[in-house]
Amino acid sequence: MTHLDLLLPALLLDALIGDPNAIWARLPHPAALMGKAVAWCDTRLNRGPNRRARGILALVILVAAAASLACLITKLPYGPLFEILLAAILLAQNSLMHHVGAVARGLDQGLDQGRQAVAMIVGRDATVLDQSGVARSAIESAAENFSDGVVAPAFWFLLLGLPGIVVYKMVNTADSMIGYRTDRYAQFGWAAARLDDVLNWIPARLSGLLICAAHGSRRTVALMRRDAPLHRSPNAGWPEAATAAVLNVAISGPRQYDGTMTTDPFVNPEGRKYLGPRDIDLAVRALWRSWGLMVVLLALVWIGI
């Protein structure tokens, strides 16, 4: 069986089932196990001199372990079935849209509930956000994670099979845990952050193009190309700029981290800045539509058209 033969059912399984709480309340989620592996390396290697070299060593250990385990799984009896199941678990369309939609439902109930919901999916201080800030944060998270959590894993599975998606998720998990420019992680997390940028370079741009293509406007492509470089991330700007253009909203912009307000520019600054729960729902709908286009295109390739 080809990687595409396995990817299509994995995408559909993820969309239909997502991450059932009944299962993961009893079993450790693979992403949680990856997080424990990263934490183990952090505890034992992130000390003393030469922290950049130690961070490179940690990343080599994590990637080698992830690739080896994935290769072993492919050799098991009924290996393709396990590959489909694990790929579906590591894809995140259903769970992403569920958590982003929960922010809209929270805002419908009140600002405090919206803040609590968005704090589950973003790293900034949600307690200082107004309604527009909550909605903007949810839309940004949805767009960025559509690339990181859906398109990129699918891309690497299509290219390299189960080892590709497992290694990608391990690197992405490491970046989310240690890829920060803080005193503790600036050196140790350098390799994880750089490799994550490399692995997401093509998927991020594909994600932006998918979002634009799903809504059939050349204008959105032009706006995406104009505004994506404004983002602090070399990759996140592409799906975020595409989503902002499709929805005609302004996102990114100044935000507060650890009590400090940034001076980040807005993406699509001409768009609406007063946002609410309806805009979050529109973003969820737009990203489901983009997901659908991706599945249709893969299906057309699969049947040979």
Side-chain angles (χ1 to χ4, degrees), residues 187-287:
Q187 293 300 314
F188 186 74
W190 174 86
R194 297 292 77 74
L195 184 55
D196 186 70
D197 286 344
V198 171
L199 295 181
N200 278 299
W201 197 92
I202 294 175
R205 286 147 183 82
L206 288 176
S207 299
L209 289 174
L210 272 172
I211 295 166
C212 292
H215 297 82
S217 171
R218 292 183 180 179
R219 174 181 170 275
T220 58
V221 176
L223 289 174
M224 176 185 68
R225 294 180 63 186
R226 184 197 71 181
D227 290 349
L230 298 176
H231 201 281
R232 63 168 66 186
S233 165
N235 295 320
W238 293 88
E240 288 192 26
T243 303
V246 164
L247 301 179
N248 191 30
V249 298
I251 58 177
S252 191
R255 75 278 305 277
Q256 186 166 305
Y257 289 101
D258 299 323
T260 302
M261 185 66 71
T262 72
T263 58
D264 295 346
F266 279 100
V267 170
N268 191 35
E270 303 90 350
R272 291 179 293 106
K273 293 185 174 67
Y274 182 77
L275 308 178
R278 171 172 162 74
D279 296 293
I280 301 174
D281 287 335
L282 290 174
V284 169
R285 189 181 306 170
L287 293 174

